[in-house]
Amino acid sequence: MKVPYQIQNLEQYHRNYQKSIENPHEFWGDVATHFDWHEPWNSVVNSDFSNAKTTWYEGAKLNITENCIDRHLEERGQQAAIIFEPNDPQKPSQTLTYQELYDRVAEFATVLTNIGIQQGDRVCIYMGMIPELAIAVLACARIGAIHSVIFGGFSAQSIADRVIDAEASCIITCDGAYRGNKEIPLKPVVDQALKLCDTVSEVVVFKHTGSKIEMSPGRDLWWHEQVNEIREAGIPWEDPASVDAEHPLFILYTSGSTGKPKGVVHTTAGYMVWANYTFVNVFQYQSNQVHFCTADIGWITGHSYILYGPLSAGATTLMFEGIPTWPDAGRFWDICQKHSVDILYTAPTAIRSLMVFGDAPLEGKNLSRLKVLGTVGEPINEEAWHWYNEKVGNKNAPVVDTWWQTETGGVMISNLAGITPAKPSYATLPLPGILPALMDENGNLIQGNSVSGNLCIAKPWPGMIRTTYGDHQRCIDTYFSAYQGYYFTGDGCLRDENGFYRITGRVDDVLNVSGHRIGTAEVENAINMNPQVVESAVVGYPHDIKGQGIYAYVILNKEVTDDEAATTLRVQILETVTQVIGPIAKPDRIQFVSGLPKTRSGKIMRRILRKIAEGELQNLGDTTTLLDPLIVDSIIKGKL
Ligand code: WT7
């Protein structure tokens, strides 16, 4: 029996789940028949976790943009594919129908080919949340170029690191972007980045803010001029490339517990199937609904649930350029009302930041269209969950708490809206195909319910990470070595008496600040670049709005004597971090210390620093193994 593409009830969920685990070949073979292929696959899945080698739909050929655009034209050519809501509510919103999206993507794909971009080339994209960002991404995919979107908040140094790692030959950017009452320069940051790396030969610039920028002749090209050029020359639009199922679709850099961010690679067919299947099932998408995911396309959430998931399903996806609190804290609700949003997908941090304003911003807003509410990015506290459910959803719209990661491509553990039960602060049950496993400290599988451990995944799934770009060993070491035969997520997790999963947060040295993933080592490296810093240690602490805040303990080469000097230094350190990573990694608290709690072998005891940052000064545990136990008292005395 064929599996239903969209699960309709609880019983079907259980039946589908069982089938997906028992017979993944048949299950995912059936699901894949819902897409357009140039060539069929020879085998559905082949996997060897010990070498981090997995393929899905091997032998098949396809183009993902045909699945996201072309195949909808007949039925949905005049339906909105993308609604763009600009930062400034006074400016008109824009709509791109599927036909218009087709035209613009096919045309810009031809521009890319015309300037020499070929299949397999890496293209970095550094833009604001405007329709052209979606067009640039899709145009890359159309010609088989590998896109690597860099979040607009990252610094020149971070761009350079990513360009170098990906050996990118082209950057697509815009002059600037609007965020709230600020105008953010983008092209000038790219200019700075390109002083630090030399692989890039073309920079394509879309004019958005109209602010004055410099164009470097021979390297920098105006988007509109390139489009005009192919129009005037009458160059016909390219046919979409026919790529292998396992052709890399994109690289997305993400932080780990060590070193520089790694380039998570997703490939074409498996990612497409996963993004689509999870979108349709988790949100229970119905034809013609408007889907508003508030993430930035610079993160995986935007890739999967602004672009590839909704578009492959023929949905209307809403792109918002601005921020939830400008011009006021009612902005999301205005947008939901104005565009009759059916599905809203946002982050707990956004919910908490809006809760602070109370109910007033919601008053008078018609949110009756909202049918499904989603959250992602970090554990959601019960208070925020209830506020979202009651005030935003009027208890009429199921809340889906979706757990997943950059590496997983799409949602892994979540209730299915209105189909499987919700439980506040629980991601609940795994999606079909996902077999979670909890491990104890000794690497043993924990059986049964009412248990907790480190969360692993025991079987391959279509959207899983394929490699870390340019360094496959790093992929093996990071994800497939801690527990033989399992993918390790880095998250702690509990399974309740009913088998529902609750993610409790990272168990490695990775912070989750406002849903952004930041490695403590990365922040430390950045802080240490300040010439006055000798050493630093960074930990997370509970933060009411951000989920986690960044607490930095810093040793200086010269002690600061007065408050004014300390303030100046703090500002300088924040500037250093902004320059090296970007404003998202700025510590919330910087405490100057004379030493750090280290073991005799020189290892920093972060457990102690974490407890102090959390304000838990009583139970610091065993400090006798420290090289200098007295240092702990002096750190406690200086606690901020
Ligand atoms: C980490 C992944 C997935 C897109 C956004 C973040 C945390 C994510 C949840 C959730 C509890 C969550 C985990 C995970 N996380 N969703 N629903 N409940 N924690 O992607 O930057 O790759 O971060 O975010 O700790 O490992 P990411």
Side-chain angles (χ1 to χ4, degrees):
M1 189 201 69
K2 267 202 153 192
V3 296
Y5 173 62
Q6 187 174 46
I7 296 166
Q8 312 282 340
N9 54 52
L10 187 58
E11 191 261 327
Q12 239 178 42
Y13 161 75
H14 288 298
R15 229 175 338 112
N16 275 261
Y17 183 77
Q18 199 179 352
K19 175 161 185 184
S20 73
I21 299 299
E22 283 167 5
N23 195 346
H25 291 264
E26 196 179 312
F27 185 88
W28 293 110
D30 281 355
V31 170
T33 59
H34 292 278
F35 299 85
D36 281 0
W37 305 86
H38 298 170
E39 300 279 347
W41 50 92
N42 302 322
S43 62
V44 172
V45 50
N46 289 295
S47 186
D48 164 14
F49 270 19
S50 57
N51 292 304
K53 288 261 179 254
T54 298
T55 62
W56 282 89
Y57 307 110
E58 190 161 19
K61 286 191 172 282
L62 73 158
N63 186 286
I64 193 170
T65 69
E66 287 180 322
N67 282 281
C68 288
I69 309 171
D70 307 34
R71 67 169 173 152
H72 305 310
L73 289 179
E74 200 174 323
E75 206 181 318
R76 310 184 181 280
Q78 300 316 309
Q79 179 201 306
I82 296 178
I83 296 174
F84 169 63
E85 175 64 27
N87 178 63
D88 184 349
Q90 306 299 326
K91 287 191 187 157
S93 48
Q94 284 174 40
T95 297
L96 284 177
T97 64
Y98 271 96
Q99 182 63 52
E100 287 162 340
L101 184 64
Y102 171 87
D103 291 345
R104 297 214 42 202
V105 169
E107 186 173 65
F108 193 64
T110 307
V111 165
L112 292 179
T113 304
N114 197 41
I115 63 174
I117 312 297
Q118 293 177 358
Q119 186 168 326
D121 287 353
R122 276 79 55 213
V123 175
C124 287
I125 304 178
Y126 185 70
M127 301 176 85
M129 281 285 288
I130 55 176
E132 285 70 23
L133 166 55
I135 291 165
V137 165
L138 294 165
C140 286
R142 197 152 178 96
I143 65 169
I146 303 166
H147 57 76
S148 180
V149 183
I150 303 172
F151 173 60
F154 279 123
S155 68
Q157 181 65 54
S158 293
I159 299 174
D161 292 344
R162 286 157 175 75
V163 166
I164 291 167
D165 190 80
E167 299 162 288
S169 58
C170 173
I171 298 188
I172 306 172
T173 187
C174 47
D175 42 7
Y178 301 111
R179 270 180 74 79
N181 57 9
K182 290 197 205 120
E183 194 181 316
I184 316 276
L186 293 173
K187 173 64 165 60
V189 184
V190 170
D191 290 341
Q192 286 240 312
L194 293 188
K195 292 192 182 124
L196 307 168
C197 53
D198 60 8
T199 52
V200 172
S201 45
E202 283 90 23
V203 178
V204 182
V205 187
F206 181 78
K207 187 183 273 196
H208 176 54
T209 58
S211 56
K212 208 171 139 30
I213 53 165
E214 277 168 32
M215 295 291 280
S216 166
R219 186 194 73 184
D220 298 352
L221 310 164
W222 282 111
W223 174 305
H224 60 270
E225 286 182 8
Q226 293 305 307
V227 168
N228 281 340
E229 201 172 301
I230 62 160
R231 280 187 195 164
E232 277 158 21
I235 297 175
W237 293 346
E238 294 280 310
D239 281 339
S242 189
V243 305
D244 289 336
E246 284 295 333
H247 180 66
L249 175 64
F250 64 85
I251 307 172
L252 194 56
Y253 285 83
T254 190
S255 297
S257 46
T258 53
K260 295 225 152 135
K262 46 192 173 292
V264 172
V265 174
H266 283 289
T267 57
T268 307
Y271 173 80
M272 170 183 78
V273 168
W274 192 239
N276 177 278
Y277 185 79
T278 53
F279 172 73
V280 167
N281 280 288
V282 170
F283 301 105
Q284 287 290 304
Y285 166 73
Q286 307 296 319
S287 199
N288 296 313
Q289 285 185 338
V290 177
H291 176 75
F292 177 19
C293 166
T294 69
D296 191 288
I297 292 177
W299 311 110
I300 189 72
T301 309
H303 282 58
S304 302
Y305 301 110
I306 296 178
L307 296 180
Y308 290 113
L311 293 176
S312 64
T316 296
T317 186
L318 197 147
M319 273 180 84
F320 173 42
E321 185 185 20
I323 57 172
T325 47
W326 190 84
D328 60 52
R331 194 72 214 277
F332 275 2
W333 324 129
D334 288 334
I335 294 173
C336 288
Q337 177 176 326
K338 177 173 174 191
H339 298 293
S340 301
V341 169
D342 297 281
I343 308 170
L344 175 66
Y345 191 28
T346 193
T349 190
I351 298 169
R352 289 192 299 264
S353 75
L354 294 174
M355 274 168 73
V356 173
F357 294 89
D359 302 347
L362 280 153
E363 271 157 28
K365 308 286 157 75
N366 181 357
L367 302 179
S368 59
R369 267 286 284 260
L370 282 176
K371 285 174 199 69
V372 176
L373 303 174
T375 86
V376 62
E378 49 178 322
I380 181 164
N381 47 314
E382 289 202 31
E383 198 193 350
W385 193 99
H386 286 293
W387 188 84
Y388 199 31
N389 183 44
E390 285 158 29
K391 306 291 179 190
V392 181
N394 200 17
K395 293 193 183 169
N396 257 327
V399 174
V400 289
D401 178 356
T402 67
W403 173 83
W404 58 295
Q405 311 178 294
T406 305
E407 293 85 346
T408 70
V411 177
M412 301 286 280
I413 303 182
S414 172
N415 49 319
L416 310 181
I419 303 286
T420 64
K423 179 171 177 180
S425 82
Y426 278 72
T428 73
L429 297 172
L431 263 79
I434 303 307
L435 190 57
L438 300 185
M439 301 292 177
D440 69 16
E441 284 129 48
N442 305 316
N444 299 317
L445 187 66
I446 306 171
Q447 310 272 8
N449 287 343
S450 302
V451 291
S452 60
N454 287 350
L455 177 62
C456 291
I457 309 294
K459 273 174 167 283
W461 67 97
M464 70 187 290
I465 179 175
R466 296 303 197 276
T467 189
T468 42
Y469 191 81
D471 188 356
H472 189 67
Q473 190 59 42
R474 193 167 175 197
C475 180
I476 299 174
D477 294 346
T478 312
Y479 305 108
F480 296 95
S481 297
Y483 305 97
Q484 275 301 310
Y486 293 88
Y487 165 83
F488 175 45
T489 65
D491 280 322
C493 181
L494 68 81
R495 186 163 54 216
D496 77 359
E497 62 284 5
N498 299 314
F500 282 21
Y501 291 88
R502 174 187 187 159
I503 314 300
T504 48
R506 303 288 304 194
V507 293
D508 51 9
D509 289 321
V510 170
L511 305 180
N512 191 325
V513 180
S514 300
H516 301 321
R517 195 159 137 185
I518 298 170
T520 51
E522 235 183 300
V523 183
E524 288 163 8
N525 289 342
I527 294 174
N528 297 350
M529 284 192 193
N530 186 294
Q532 304 182 69
V533 172
V534 176
E535 197 183 359
S536 62
V538 164
V539 296
Y541 70 97
H543 188 288
D544 283 351
I545 292 182
K546 297 178 172 186
Q548 269 190 313
I550 305 180
Y551 198 116
Y553 300 90
V554 175
I555 306 177
L556 299 170
N557 57 13
K558 223 170 55 199
E559 240 180 88
V560 279
T561 43
D562 58 281
D563 286 355
E564 204 182 317
T567 307
T568 313
L569 252 176
R570 285 200 180 91
V571 171
Q572 285 170 356
I573 290 170
L574 294 181
E575 268 166 22
T576 309
V577 173
T578 305
Q579 265 163 32
V580 178
I581 307 176
I584 56 171
K586 283 198 294 198
D588 300 276
R589 292 183 184 161
I590 300 174
Q591 180 181 347
F592 297 124
V593 294
S594 56
L596 291 166
K598 286 188 183 170
T599 60
R600 291 196 180 86
S601 60
K603 204 171 155 279
I604 297 173
M605 298 273 280
R606 284 165 195 285
R607 178 176 52 80
I608 295 175
L609 293 176
R610 239 177 263 134
K611 288 229 162 133
I612 298 175
E614 285 165 9
E616 234 198 87
L617 306 176
Q618 302 310 321
N619 298 309
L620 291 179
D622 187 10
T623 54
T624 53
T625 55
L626 290 179
L627 192 60
D628 174 11
L630 291 180
I631 202 72
V632 175
D633 298 328
S634 91
I635 295 177
I636 290 175
K637 268 198 215 108
K639 182 180 164 8
L640 302 172

